[in-house]
Amino acid sequence: VCSDGGDTIYVMDQLGDNGDDGSWLDEIIFRESVENLPEREKKILYLRFLKGKTQTEVAEEICISQAQVSRLEKNALKTMRNYLRP
């Protein structure tokens, strides 16, 4: 969960939804998609979507630029999307 400009953004909003909310199988697959990410990308997603930090705040915390956070976040979401929809 992330709040960006007043609107709440969920990780699944970024990945897309197939209309199967609440499915235990979807949750298992989602968790596996996260587990397959590099540690730095996991941390970025954790800080962004679970802690609600901005990209700038994440960048400061892990000592990289905001642009790098943006690229890594985008890559992580793309990787997860590809894992969820092979």
Side-chain angles (χ1 to χ4, degrees), residues 3-66:
S3 182
D4 211 11
D7 295 329
T8 301
I9 302 170
Y10 296 91
V11 175
M12 288 306 293
D13 292 338
Q14 296 294 313
L15 298 175
D17 184 12
N18 293 333
D20 251 0
D21 289 324
S23 168
W24 61 271
L25 185 56
D26 287 345
E27 184 174 336
I28 291 170
I29 293 169
F30 176 78
R31 287 179 187 266
E32 286 178 2
S33 73
V34 171
E35 289 173 11
N36 287 320
L37 294 173
E39 288 303 316
R40 184 161 66 167
E41 290 180 7
K42 283 185 210 177
K43 184 168 186 167
I44 289 169
L45 293 182
Y46 170 77
L47 292 171
R48 288 279 289 137
F49 296 105
L50 296 176
K51 291 294 188 177
K53 295 187 179 232
T54 66
Q55 288 182 351
T56 301
E57 292 170 330
V58 172
E60 290 172 4
E61 185 165 328
I62 63 175
C63 302
I64 62 175
S65 71
Q66 178 275 324

